[in-house]
Amino acid sequence: MVVVEAYAEVARRVLAGPARLGRTRLVAVDGPSGAGKSRFAAHLADALAALPGGGRPPVVHTDDLLDGWDDQFSFWSRLDEEVLAPLREGKPGAYRRYSWVRRRFLPRPVPVPVAPVLVVEGVSAARRIVAPEVTLAVFVTAPASLRLARAVERDGPEILPELRRWHVGERAHFAADDTAARVDLVVDGAPTLPLDGSRYYVRVR
């Protein structure tokens, strides 16, 4: 069943939900690379910012926490220690962003304030271990060929060898974690329906 929904509606759903990460409502936007997770997260953040009393939530991209290509899933301890653990205690977090050009973490920390909502976007963001603390879990999908084309267009063909290895790891992770079956919302990241993509998305489940 395919349904067109407004980002404003899911934003209201988030704010009406319980805060399970300290005083913060954690939204996890998961899915394979190139599916449209960053786009969904950005539009949801815009919708939250437009609501009275909502404010624009901080958005953490897990790609910024990876220590290069070999840190596909093992980055989680860094996210937990630097961002999630402080928020559990009602304290602000901070992390250092990885530079894929310089191949090292940058020295200046990126602050993550205590806010009503935190959006974490990236592959494995909704992994099973964090499920008890998530207010809304989202899985964004798109055809594999389109996802590959998007990644190459964004980062160049030289990433193909690493990207193909990355995709194998993604498939294994999602199968073992059963992510798509557990989330609250499955989103079509490549809708063919005519719609204003900044205001609406297509829900698959």
Side-chain angles (χ1 to χ4, degrees):
M1 182 178 180
V2 173
V3 179
V4 175
E5 294 183 334
Y7 283 103
E9 288 301 318
V10 75
R12 281 189 279 269
R13 175 181 174 182
V14 169
L15 289 179
R20 295 187 172 122
L21 183 69
R23 303 193 304 270
T24 297
R25 295 162 183 82
L26 175 60
V27 176
V29 182
D30 207 332
S33 57
K37 300 181 298 300
S38 297
R39 187 181 304 109
F40 183 93
H43 291 325
L44 176 57
D46 290 341
L48 284 160
L51 292 179
R56 186 176 182 85
V59 179
V60 174
H61 305 280
T62 63
D63 280 359
D64 290 340
L65 288 156
L66 305 182
D67 190 3
W69 286 103
D70 292 330
D71 199 24
Q72 186 174 10
F73 301 109
S74 51
F75 73 91
W76 191 265
S77 60
R78 196 174 301 115
L79 172 66
D80 189 69
E81 292 167 11
E82 298 175 3
V83 177
L84 303 183
L87 292 178
R88 287 188 193 105
E89 304 297 323
K91 301 174 183 178
Y95 64 93
R96 290 187 302 135
R97 180 180 287 121
Y98 183 79
S99 170
W100 290 82
V101 175
R102 300 179 185 178
R103 298 185 179 181
R104 62 178 176 84
F105 287 99
L106 301 177
R108 179 176 297 179
V110 178
V112 182
V114 178
V117 179
L118 168 67
V119 180
V120 176
E121 172 277 319
V123 177
S124 80
R127 62 176 65 187
R128 188 181 298 273
I129 193 172
V130 79
E133 297 180 306
V134 172
T135 299
L136 183 74
V138 182
F139 193 86
V140 185
T141 68
S145 57
L146 176 61
R147 293 191 290 102
L148 184 65
R150 284 174 173 175
V152 170
E153 181 180 0
R154 181 186 62 203
D155 298 320
E158 62 274 9
I159 71 163
L160 273 172
E162 294 286 8
L163 189 61
R164 294 188 194 283
R165 181 170 63 87
W166 185 275
H167 286 176
V168 172
E170 286 178 344
R171 290 193 294 271
H173 166 76
F174 290 135
D177 189 73
D178 202 22
T179 316
R182 292 187 297 97
V183 297
D184 305 296
L185 189 63
V186 178
V187 171
D188 184 353
T192 56
L193 296 174
L195 51 80
D196 180 351
S198 65
R199 297 176 58 197
Y200 300 95
Y201 65 92
V202 173
R203 175 169 63 87
V204 179
R205 177 180 65 75

